[in-house]
Amino acid sequence: MIVLAIYIAIFCAAFIVVRFVISKIRVRRDFTSLKTVTFGDESAVRPDRWASFLSVLTLFCLWGAFTGSDWVPFHAPGPFVGDTQFTYTMEAPDGARDDATVHARVFPAGEKGDPQDVAPGDGFAKDDSIALAAWRSDLLLMDKNDEFTRKDGAKVVAIDGQPVSPGSRIEVANGTVAVTSKGSLNFVPDPGMQMEPIWLPSPEAVVARVKEISVRGYQNFTLWEHLYWSLFRVIVGFLCGAIVGIPLGYAMGLSGWFRGWFDPIVEFMRPVPPLALIPLVIIWAGIGESGKIILLFLAALWIMAISARAGVSGVAISKVHAAYSLGASRWQVLRYVIVPNSLPEIFTGARVAMGVCWGTVVAAELVAAEKGAGMMIMVASRFQLTDVVLMGIILIGVIGFSIDILMRKAEDWLVPWKGRT
Amino acid sequence: MSKLSINNLSMRFDLPNGSFVQALKDVSLEIESGELMSVLGPSGCGKTTFLNILAGFLSPTEGTVTLNGHAVTGPSAERGMVFQQGALFEWMSVRDNVSFGPRMAGRKKKDYMDNVNHLLDVVGLQDFKDKSVYELSGGMQQRVALARCLANDPDVILMDEPLGALDALTREKMQGLVLKLWKETGKTIILITHSVEEALLLGQRLLVMAPRPGRIHKEYRLPFAAAGVGKDLRVVKRDPEFGEKREEILSMIWDMEEEIMGRTEEAKA
Ligand SMILES: Nc1ncnc2c1ncn2[C@@H]1O[C@H](COP(=O)(O)OP(=O)(O)OP(=O)(O)O)[C@@H](O)[C@H]1O
Ligand SMILES: [Mg+2]
């Protein structure tokens, strides 16, 4: 909740700053900047690069600040670390009361150490000393060293002077103390507002893990091998799908028989999400490479076939007529008119198919695989290795995004006439 | 030489709801080689349908079309077509568009390149030959379409409102170009237009069609096209005879339109 509020606050502040400060310095002079109607003209809405930069920076800083990263200069209040103490009041069976002090030493998360040496002090309740790590709690059997124990009928009646009974919870310095139903004390040091590494590791931990896994590997394969195998499956599956799907789509767009024959199959398979095929593919082909590639082939096939078919039906009839009346044969019409004219559609389909394949391969590896990005994060999550999981997710996102950018670049290069007819 | 004979052509479109449109009925016509014929008529009278049949994109429900004695059954290189717009290949340069026909015929580059360059000169696009089609203006694109058609050396050129999408000034220049190319090449040209002036200027023969069913209403033989070659077309337009003819044809088309309206009202009542 707090994080969301901070995020919205940063969003608004950055907007105001960039809008009124930076825009004054940087004056754009191009055609779009001269448009007066921008609200509603989609082509005039250009992503503000400052906003993109700040958006990524904000996410990174929030991540760092709430995980206590060394890379970020400011932090959310961390968990309490250091020495603290509280007192409890013990009531003996005969009604006599005595105070004792509990010295707690809280180590940084993940570290261990010895409690302080303390003198037992006077009275029948003796002082205690405990040691624990941040974000953990410690059940304190305070009466172990006392002259009267709970067995004798002694009980804690107050903490830091405030009266307590079993079940109550008291704020003490740097933490809270709860009285359990059995009458012992549970000390929880202040957790602060940062995330525990097991939920959200800090950026440097993730980077360190990248380095470690890229050298030493995880689950018998290095990071790059895991990613390579995922990419390899996607590319092979996608290429197979495209090699079969595009001619199939053309045939469906050009011949009534093909369209009639394959329409029911394509239309039926299209709405079936490839993820739903995973179990069947595992039954048929096991969890090896062929199963993955069959799955990705099926994922890409229908998308490519449909986009090739749409590409054929998108050809202006006058172009086809013109080609025929210039003496082109059927084959030449296909080669010089229909194929080039359908390229934009095919590229759009290929981008979608690549995205779907990438998502599907990760999902398939989550279910069952010996290697691959999805398998890596799935196994890591079983061992609560959140940094590996996070790293995997980030790299999967980065790769998916890069694939899309590459496809877009290829499209600009191969289909320069797109959208300009 | 290339004589186009059209015999009792009828075209009927059966509609899915069981009714039908008689787009053409009993059209008969002889077109001699080297004639430039323009076709006028109210919208929907079957001009495009007529041209598509001549091009071979549609087969008529009745009647035949023969060119040089053999029947037209499908599109072929002997009948070139210039469309209103959008029929160029965006993925090819201007030169590749113009040389498309010879390339498809498998001719050697050195055999056709001279002609292609000559045509690019004639239409004034020599400087643009390596540009992509989408970088050209509408008028330039139509010139490419003309050159592409001519580079294939067809016997008959069919044009469906080739200048319809152009502005008045460009259109006038293109009219001059069409006349010039006609004179130079001696091709048989059939040109559909919506503009009475254009039909008068460019038509050695002028066909006025009537709708429902589409048929030939009246035919003229005109002197303006032959006289206009290489001249300022505005001078031709100032000819009193030109004005007279224009008025006559305009009122003829108006009458047809009114008749259609009347019939529609009747049908409603
Ligand atoms: N494919 C088709 N199916 C059904 N009816 C058609 C079809 N093509 C044309 N028609 C009908 O045939 C008639 C003639 O159409 P056509 O396109 O030849 O007219 P046009 O004279 O070229 O009109 P315009 O001047 O507006 O281009 C019209 O009534 C039209 O509705
Ligand atoms: Mg028409």
Side-chain angles (χ1 to χ4, degrees):
Chain A
M1 272 296 104
I2 293 175
V3 178
L4 185 64
I6 294 175
Y7 187 78
I8 292 170
I10 294 177
F11 176 87
C12 297
F15 175 73
I16 291 164
V17 168
V18 171
R19 188 69 191 263
F20 294 105
V21 180
I22 299 176
S23 304
K24 292 273 186 307
I25 307 167
R26 168 190 59 145
V27 182
R28 275 220 180 102
R29 291 235 173 277
D30 60 9
F31 173 64
T32 306
S33 66
L34 299 177
K35 286 187 182 172
T36 52
V37 176
T38 54
F39 191 89
D41 180 355
E42 205 271 339
S43 69
V45 177
R46 292 172 300 181
D48 192 323
R49 290 296 154 215
W50 275 96
S52 308
F53 171 72
L54 288 175
S55 164
V56 175
L57 187 73
T58 305
L59 280 180
F60 182 81
C61 287
L62 281 177
W63 179 16
F66 280 89
T67 51
S69 166
D70 292 338
W71 293 355
V72 176
F74 34 83
H75 292 145
F80 172 75
V81 170
D83 292 338
T84 185
Q85 61 185 53
F86 60 90
T87 59
Y88 65 90
T89 310
M90 194 79 159
E91 193 178 77
D94 57 3
R97 288 184 174 198
D98 186 27
D99 287 355
T101 306
V102 177
H103 298 269
R105 175 162 275 187
V106 183
F107 292 99
E111 287 178 30
K112 278 205 181 80
D114 296 322
Q116 296 158 272
D117 285 331
V118 290
D122 53 359
F124 62 87
K126 302 283 186 271
D127 291 357
D128 297 272
S129 176
I130 54 174
L132 68 167
W135 286 304
R136 298 282 164 267
S137 60
D138 197 57
L139 194 63
L140 168 66
L141 305 173
M142 63 287 149
D143 49 358
K144 236 180 3 197
N145 59 353
D146 296 349
E147 284 167 21
F148 299 104
T149 66
R150 280 172 289 162
K151 264 195 213 122
D152 304 328
K155 59 179 196 241
V156 174
V157 292
I159 289 170
D160 278 356
Q162 294 162 264
V164 295
S165 56
S168 56
R169 181 182 291 276
I170 293 292
E171 299 277 335
V172 300
N174 306 315
T176 52
V177 175
V179 184
T180 66
S181 51
K182 294 222 175 83
S184 57
L185 301 179
N186 194 29
F187 175 62
V188 184
D190 260 340
M193 282 165 64
Q194 292 185 6
M195 299 287 277
E196 232 179 296
I198 201 154
W199 292 344
L200 183 68
S202 63
E204 60 256 40
V206 173
V207 170
R209 191 61 86 155
V210 171
K211 285 190 192 140
E212 186 203 317
I213 293 185
S214 60
V215 180
R216 294 214 351 256
Y218 184 71
Q219 298 287 320
N220 308 327
F221 294 96
T222 67
L223 174 64
W224 309 122
E225 285 172 325
H226 283 301
L227 295 176
Y228 164 80
W229 278 105
S230 295
L231 255 180
F232 171 81
R233 291 162 179 159
V234 166
I235 289 171
V236 172
F238 167 77
L239 285 180
C240 293
I243 287 169
V244 178
I246 294 176
L248 179 64
Y250 281 143
M252 289 174 71
L254 294 168
S255 143
W257 178 257
F258 273 90
R259 165 153 316 187
W261 189 277
F262 288 106
D263 241 357
I265 304 175
V266 168
E267 293 301 330
F268 174 77
M269 287 306 290
R270 172 160 71 167
V272 176
L275 299 186
L277 299 175
I278 292 177
L280 187 63
V281 168
I282 289 179
I283 293 172
W284 283 352
I287 64 164
E289 290 316 307
S290 50
K292 303 278 180 304
I293 288 171
I294 290 172
L295 182 69
L296 298 178
F297 164 76
L298 290 175
L301 178 66
W302 314 120
I303 300 177
M304 293 315 292
I306 288 165
S307 64
R309 188 184 69 185
V312 177
S313 53
V315 180
I317 188 63
S318 62
K319 288 188 174 62
V320 176
H321 278 170
Y324 275 123
S325 55
L326 287 166
S329 63
R330 283 179 174 207
W331 169 250
Q332 285 169 328
V333 168
L334 178 65
R335 159 77 184 73
Y336 293 101
V337 181
I338 291 171
V339 169
N341 200 79
S342 61
L343 279 183
E345 287 280 357
I346 294 208
F347 263 100
T348 311
R351 273 177 60 194
V352 174
M354 272 302 231
V356 169
C357 281
W358 185 241
T360 307
V361 78
V362 171
E365 289 166 352
L366 288 178
V367 174
E370 289 146 8
K371 49 196 178 250
M375 170 267 182
M376 182 176 74
I377 61 177
M378 193 64 205
V379 174
S381 89
R382 288 203 201 113
F383 295 104
Q384 297 240 8
L385 291 173
T386 318
D387 43 5
V388 176
V389 174
L390 209 60
M391 174 195 80
I393 291 171
I394 291 174
L395 288 175
I396 288 168
V398 167
I399 291 173
F401 187 51
S402 313
I403 291 174
D404 199 55
I405 287 181
L406 281 179
M407 300 285 284
R408 259 191 268 180
K409 287 268 178 274
E411 183 175 16
D412 287 349
W413 182 61
L414 283 168
V415 196
W417 65 87
K418 184 179 182 184
R420 300 174 68 166
T421 50
Chain B
M1 197 183 86
S2 59
K3 187 173 154 176
L4 196 59
S5 321
I6 296 145
N7 310 306
N8 303 333
L9 213 58
S10 294
M11 186 74 200
R12 201 175 120 157
F13 290 109
D14 291 314
L15 301 179
N17 60 13
S19 65
F20 63 90
V21 181
Q22 190 76 39
L24 290 174
K25 192 166 174 69
D26 265 334
V27 177
S28 293
L29 197 67
E30 297 278 317
I31 301 165
E32 299 298 329
S33 169
E35 272 187 327
L36 170 44
M37 187 177 81
S38 49
V39 181
L40 261 181
S43 182
C45 71
K47 304 184 292 293
T48 301
T49 307
F50 179 54
L51 211 66
N52 281 340
I53 293 173
L54 296 190
F57 303 142
L58 286 175
S59 18
T61 39
E62 272 164 56
T64 53
V65 179
T66 57
L67 177 63
N68 303 334
H70 51 260
V72 165
T73 51
S76 115
E78 61 190 13
R79 279 162 283 118
M81 183 109 182
V82 178
F83 294 86
Q84 183 169 7
Q85 64 184 132
L88 294 176
F89 308 133
E90 286 87 11
W91 44 94
M92 293 179 193
S93 65
V94 169
R95 190 183 18 206
D96 286 351
N97 264 285
V98 174
S99 63
F100 186 81
R103 282 194 290 136
M104 293 306 106
R107 285 167 52 195
K108 291 210 176 61
K109 194 165 186 181
K110 64 175 195 305
D111 293 344
Y112 63 75
M113 225 44 214
D114 283 348
N115 187 35
V116 166
N117 275 324
H118 168 69
L119 285 170
L120 284 171
D121 274 332
V122 172
V123 298
L125 289 171
Q126 193 59 245
D127 297 345
F128 294 89
K129 62 182 176 193
D130 292 317
K131 286 245 161 32
S132 295
V133 173
Y134 55 80
E135 294 171 291
L136 304 184
S137 72
M140 288 161 132
Q141 290 184 356
Q142 278 319 78
R143 281 186 272 161
V144 175
L146 263 178
R148 180 176 72 175
C149 187
L150 286 167
N152 207 33
D153 199 25
D155 292 340
V156 181
I157 299 179
L158 308 169
M159 303 187 182
D160 192 354
E161 298 177 44
L163 313 181
L166 305 179
D167 66 287
L169 204 63
T170 316
R171 192 168 186 161
E172 209 162 275
K173 284 192 210 153
M174 293 284 291
Q175 289 165 350
L177 181 67
V178 170
L179 274 184
K180 187 177 142 198
L181 289 170
W182 171 60
K183 197 75 202 168
E184 264 180 28
T185 60
K187 298 280 177 213
T188 313
I189 300 179
I190 300 175
L191 180 138
I192 292 180
T193 175
H194 266 143
S195 150
V196 176
E197 266 193 2
E198 188 169 282
L200 286 169
L201 276 176
L202 300 185
Q204 198 187 21
R205 287 170 80 181
L206 194 163
L207 213 60
V208 181
M209 291 180 66
R212 298 190 190 187
R215 60 193 186 273
I216 298 172
H217 183 70
K218 198 164 167 135
E219 199 191 320
Y220 294 84
R221 290 196 177 261
L222 300 163
F224 311 112
V229 176
K231 279 210 210 121
D232 187 347
L233 294 181
R234 265 164 293 177
V235 177
V236 178
K237 283 190 214 168
R238 256 178 264 138
D239 186 332
E241 203 194 330
F242 187 92
E244 255 174 47
K245 277 273 178 316
R246 186 180 55 200
E247 290 316 309
E248 183 186 331
I249 294 172
L250 269 176
S251 51
M252 188 189 301
I253 291 177
W254 265 116
D255 288 348
M256 279 189 236
E257 296 271 3
E258 260 167 23
E259 202 192 323
I260 299 172
M261 300 287 261
R263 262 195 270 167
T264 333
E265 309 265 279
E266 266 174 41
K268 269 186 199 159

